Amino acid sequence: MPHTFDADIIAAVLRHMNGDHTDDNLLIARAFSTEEEGEVTGSTMTGFDGDGGTWSVTRGGTASELRVPWPGGPITERPAVRREVVAIYDLACAKLGIEPRPHD
């Protein structure tokens, strides 16, 4: 059973990802979706738990769910969420041949 984070933690992370990192959400969706599913035109992070993150991905006007496991394995602490989202972003950049921006 994956770890469940408090609702306020989830809301804060989603607000940050969907407000400040819309391009990252799109990049992640494009990297981890299969090309056969069609071109990704939109993506928002909709949730996460101790095992991974979830995005709503839009292709041709139709939304579907994308689940990406945390690269470092299961997590239980709030600081690990940022670390794992950054790791997913870095992996997405590598898969797409894009230079990742520096992380503060």
Side-chain angles (χ1 to χ4, degrees):
M1 187 88 171
H3 177 76
T4 302
F5 290 90
D6 292 337
D8 58 329
I9 292 172
I10 293 171
V13 170
L14 296 181
R15 185 171 43 254
H16 176 69
M17 287 298 295
N18 295 323
D20 298 334
H21 295 285
T22 56
D23 290 343
D24 296 351
N25 287 333
L26 197 56
L27 187 83
I28 289 165
R30 287 181 174 152
F32 291 98
S33 296
T34 61
E35 289 184 26
E36 298 82 46
E37 295 177 87
E39 180 184 355
V40 174
T41 56
S43 179
T44 56
M45 190 173 195
T46 58
F48 63 91
D49 59 25
D51 287 346
T54 307
W55 283 262
S56 176
V57 178
T58 304
R59 296 176 190 85
T62 303
S64 62
E65 183 176 279
L66 171 67
R67 178 84 171 157
V68 182
W70 301 131
I75 60 173
T76 59
E77 301 293 324
R78 166 62 183 96
V81 176
R82 182 185 188 283
R83 180 190 72 226
E84 293 302 318
V85 170
V86 168
I88 287 175
Y89 164 80
D90 286 342
L91 285 171
C93 288
K95 285 180 85 166
L96 298 174
I98 296 170
E99 183 71 28
R101 70 178 175 285
H103 307 295
D104 300 334

